[in-house]
Amino acid sequence: MEGKLTIKENSGINYEEILTCRGDIMKHNKYEDVHFFSAYKKMTRLVEGLEGAGEWHIFKDLLPELQHKSVLDLGYGFCWHCSYARQQHAKSVIGVDISEK
């Protein structure tokens, strides 16, 4: 059985690359469940972005200076952290997520 791993690079150019990997390595992804995802995508943090996440104001202060840094976001979801890294002038940003949504 094979699965897909989606990798998005946000370096000013939007593109997607789909890699094939062994399905037995990948776990079940609840975000692919239509019923779960229809409720999940309505959460405040997903509608408003990072500002809608209660922990963001504290978490942001814990992050190092990102300018000229390379950033890897594992489990990027809606790409909010990748976008923030680009706004902070990261040299390169790569987001990796198991979900195709």
Side-chain angles (χ1 to χ4, degrees), residues 81-101:
H81 292 103
C82 289
S83 296
Y84 175 77
R86 289 300 298 156
Q87 291 168 1
Q88 300 303 306
H89 306 287
K91 177 175 63 175
S92 70
V93 179
I94 297 175
V96 179
D97 199 296
I98 192 173
S99 179
E100 293 183 38
K101 291 193 179 292

Side-chain angles (χ1 to χ4, degrees), residues 10-79:
N10 184 352
S11 59
I13 300 171
N14 289 325
Y15 67 91
E16 255 185 51
E17 178 181 354
I18 307 296
L19 299 177
T20 303
C21 64
R22 290 180 36 199
D24 60 341
I25 295 172
M26 296 172 62
K27 304 272 187 206
H28 172 71
N29 183 4
K30 66 182 174 186
Y31 299 96
E32 299 297 332
D33 179 275
V34 176
H35 299 292
F36 172 83
F37 193 76
S38 64
Y40 176 77
K41 69 182 181 181
K42 295 175 186 173
M43 291 177 60
T44 304
R45 67 181 56 234
L46 299 178
V47 175
E48 297 178 14
L50 294 174
E51 295 299 321
E55 72 278 5
W56 174 243
H57 303 286
I58 295 169
F59 180 70
K60 180 172 65 172
D61 291 339
L62 299 174
L63 293 173
E65 173 67 41
L66 298 177
Q67 188 171 7
H68 307 299
K69 301 274 176 63
S70 296
V71 176
L72 174 62
D73 183 359
L74 300 175
Y76 66 80
F78 280 68
C79 222

